[in-house]
Amino acid sequence: CVVFYYWMEPPHDEFWDQYTGALAYGTLLHLPFSFFYHLLCAFRVFKDPVDCVPRKLDQTLIHVNCAVFAYGLSGNYILLVATAILNTWHIVRLWLRGKHDNAFERRSNILVDVVVYTMPMAYRGDYENWALALFGCWGSAAFVFAFNDMFGGWGHQLSHLIMAFFLGVLMHSADKVGPWCDELPGRCMW
C-alpha cells in the first residue's frame, strides 16, 4: 500500500531515486512471501506454523530486506555488503535445526538487523525519522506482537498495520539520502 501510494502520489518530482527505489523493490520482493505465509496461517493450513518452509521464506526475505534497506537508508555500498554478510548468517541459522532455532533468537536477529539498518538515519542527522521509525513504529509493532493476547489475538495483525507506517517513515528518510550524498562528493561511494 505504501509503495503504491508513493508511486501514484510522490511527495515531489525527484522522490524516486536509487534509495527510495531500493526500499520499494525490497518491499515488493518480500510481499508475496509474507502474504502467502500469512494467508496460509489464516486458513490454518500448517500443522506447525513456525516450523515450516513458508515461515522460513518470509523471514529469509525480511533479512534480505535488512541489507537492501541498509543501502537505501545510507547510500553506502560497504554497509550493504556488511549487512548482507550479517543477514546471510541469520538466514543460514533460520534454515538449520538446533538449539539456536527458537523464537528468541529469530526475533533478536531481526531486532539487531533493524537497529543496524536504521543507524544511518541517525548518522545522517535524520533524528526525527530515526526515532519515529525505531521507537514509534517498530517498537509499537514489536509491543503489540509480543503482547498478542492483550490485543485479543490480533497483535500480529496489528503489528503488520503499524509496519506500513514504519515503511512510510523509512521512505521519507531514504528520500533524504541523495541530497545528503550530494553535499560531499564521494560520501556515498563507499
Side-chain angles (χ1 to χ4, degrees):
C1 288
V2 174
V3 171
F4 182 71
Y5 172 78
Y6 282 126
W7 183 260
M8 299 304 292
E9 297 288 335
H12 55 86
D13 291 340
E14 292 82 34
F15 179 76
W16 287 107
D17 60 15
Q18 64 196 42
Y19 310 111
T20 54
L23 270 64
Y25 289 126
T27 300
L28 294 174
L29 177 66
H30 175 234
L31 181 65
F33 294 93
S34 184
F35 181 82
F36 179 67
Y37 168 63
H38 288 88
L39 181 67
L40 293 176
C41 284
F43 286 106
R44 301 185 189 280
V45 170
F46 307 114
K47 188 175 5 173
D48 183 352
V50 174
D51 189 19
C52 64
V53 169
R55 193 267 311 158
K56 291 178 183 181
L57 286 171
D58 178 30
Q59 290 185 345
T60 294
L61 270 292
I62 288 172
H63 286 293
V64 169
N65 262 352
C66 289
V68 172
F69 281 24
Y71 173 72
L73 293 168
S74 70
N76 188 297
Y77 291 110
I78 292 175
L79 185 61
L80 169 65
V81 172
T83 56
I85 291 167
L86 174 65
N87 281 281
T88 298
W89 173 247
H90 292 159
I91 290 168
V92 167
R93 292 183 65 82
L94 278 174
W95 291 88
L96 294 177
R97 293 191 184 276
K99 288 193 323 188
H100 68 277
D101 188 18
N102 60 69
F104 178 78
E105 178 165 324
R106 287 190 300 271
R107 292 173 188 159
S108 297
N109 289 346
I110 291 172
L111 172 61
V112 166
D113 298 333
V114 169
V115 169
V116 168
Y117 79 67
T118 58
M119 283 191 314
M121 297 166 73
Y123 179 75
R124 289 187 288 105
D126 191 5
Y127 302 114
E128 186 177 324
N129 280 324
W130 176 75
L132 181 58
L134 197 56
F135 302 110
C137 297
W138 204 89
S140 298
F143 177 83
V144 298
F145 181 87
F147 295 98
N148 184 49
D149 292 340
M150 231 169 69
F151 295 93
W154 288 91
H156 190 158
Q157 293 83 349
L158 287 171
S159 73
H160 281 274
L161 289 175
I162 294 168
M163 292 306 284
F165 292 102
F166 178 70
L167 179 60
V169 173
L170 296 183
M171 294 290 283
H172 277 283
S173 186
D175 184 34
K176 298 176 180 182
V177 173
W180 182 78
C181 291
D182 293 343
E183 284 176 12
L184 185 62
R187 176 184 263 172
C188 295
M189 299 278 298
W190 298 96

